[in-house]
Amino acid sequence: MLYSMTGFGRAELSHEQVRISVVVKSVNHKALDIRMMLPPVLSELEVELTSWLRTQVGRGRLELRIDLQGVSTRSAELDVMTAELLHRDLQGLCVRLGISEPVSLSHLLSSQAVWRPREQGSTPSLFEPVKRAVAMAIDSLSQSRLREGLALEEDLASHLDVFEDRLLKAAGQAPKRLDEYREKLQAKIASLMPEGVEVDGQRIAMEVALFADRADVNEELSRAKVHIDELRSLLSCESSPIERVGKRIDFFLQELNREVNTLASKSRDAALTTLTIDMKSELESMREQTANIQ
């Protein structure tokens, strides 16, 4: 059971006269990167929410947005008494300086003096409902990431089946390659030897043995089979929303790629070369999909 790093979650909750809306989405990222957009009245919650989110999500770029309806999210409010005093002072200044331009509302509102911090004594009552809404949204996100993870799991398993099929065919090519090499070597030597001179069978056997040693791929095939078993185990494991399985899968894919490169370097015939090309193509497809796995 794999979790994708891509997902979307949403939750809404009502508390008294306030409507709390939470939207969270995640995309691929090499680590966990949390970005939050909170109303000013909830700024005190940012550190606590960030710490909690790190216990719920393992990897990816996470964007969380909280909106409140039914409560003012402004951090300042108008001081009417100060505005009246400022208006009177400005009018007096205009008369004294002989300025005929009237004092407008925009003049007053542009002054920092008429604004004061909004009292937010009742804001903490929203904290618990907001945290519940965030938990609901994260649960929705996890379900979304799980659904996509299951689709990725099926796709990876399909590519791995094709890869293993090509690997088994490559293993079946090894005995044929020795027989073909022996026959070609005997025919070539026979064509070069004078008529009536017998070919030294021991010498041919020695050459075939040297070729077999250089072209032996049994170790590579054995290691590749072990890596395939490890990958199948990872694809079928019961992972959690915070477990980083993707990096482990990518490690074994790199190991398989190393074995295929060795097979390709030892390839002496077109059939084996074609099989190694097919295997590298399947590995590339799997690595692209693994980049989406947490």
Side-chain angles (χ1 to χ4, degrees), residues 5 13 39 60 90 109 125 185 187 220 238 260 282-283 291:
M5 282 190 283
L13 189 67
L90 289 175
L109 297 181
S125 65
L185 184 61
E220 288 78 10
E238 292 291 329
V260 172
E282 295 301 321
L283 286 175

Side-chain angles (χ1 to χ4, degrees), residues 19 21 39 114 156 163 181 189 205:
R19 186 73 173 174
S21 176
V114 302
L156 285 171
F163 178 90
Y181 180 76
I189 293 176

Side-chain angles (χ1 to χ4, degrees), residues 98-214:
I99 299 174
S100 59
E101 181 181 351
V103 178
S104 67
L105 182 61
S106 61
H107 292 148
L108 296 175
L109 297 181
S110 63
S111 173
Q112 293 292 328
V114 302
W115 297 100
R116 64 186 177 192
R118 175 176 292 276
E119 294 183 4
Q120 299 176 359
S122 61
T123 300
S125 65
L126 286 174
F127 286 2
E128 289 305 318
V130 166
K131 287 189 281 188
R132 288 201 304 271
V134 171
M136 292 165 58
I138 291 298
D139 183 64
S140 175
L141 174 73
S142 295
Q143 294 301 317
S144 173
R145 286 160 62 107
L146 177 59
R147 286 192 297 271
E148 184 164 337
L150 291 174
L152 290 173
E153 181 181 323
E154 291 180 3
D155 189 66
L156 285 171
S158 176
H159 284 295
L160 192 58
D161 287 340
V162 175
F163 178 90
E164 187 173 25
D165 175 72
R166 301 297 186 271
L167 186 70
L168 293 175
K169 289 181 178 179
Q173 288 290 323
K176 297 179 183 178
R177 293 170 64 201
L178 289 180
D179 292 338
E180 290 174 358
Y181 180 76
R182 182 184 292 106
E183 292 173 1
K184 289 180 180 179
L185 184 61
Q186 287 176 332
K188 187 172 183 179
I189 293 176
S191 67
L192 296 174
M193 295 291 288
E195 188 175 349
V197 178
E198 293 185 1
V199 178
D200 186 351
Q202 186 175 359
R203 180 63 180 173
I204 291 178
M206 185 181 298
E207 289 295 331
V208 172
L210 290 173
F211 172 79
D213 184 63
R214 291 194 303 269

Side-chain angles (χ1 to χ4, degrees), residues 48-101:
E48 182 180 349
L49 288 177
T50 299
S51 298
W52 180 77
L53 287 172
R54 292 188 180 280
T55 68
Q56 303 299 310
V57 181
R59 200 156 64 109
R61 174 166 289 154
L62 196 70
E63 295 183 4
L64 183 141
R65 179 186 180 91
I66 301 177
D67 291 310
L68 301 177
Q69 295 179 355
V71 63
S72 175
T73 59
R74 294 181 302 168
S75 59
E77 61 183 354
L78 183 65
D79 186 336
V80 178
M81 184 175 295
T82 301
E84 290 176 346
L85 293 173
L86 179 61
H87 182 261
R88 186 186 64 188
D89 291 343
L90 289 175
Q91 282 185 322
L93 183 62
C94 288
V95 172
R96 185 171 181 177
L97 298 178
I99 299 174
S100 59
E101 181 181 351

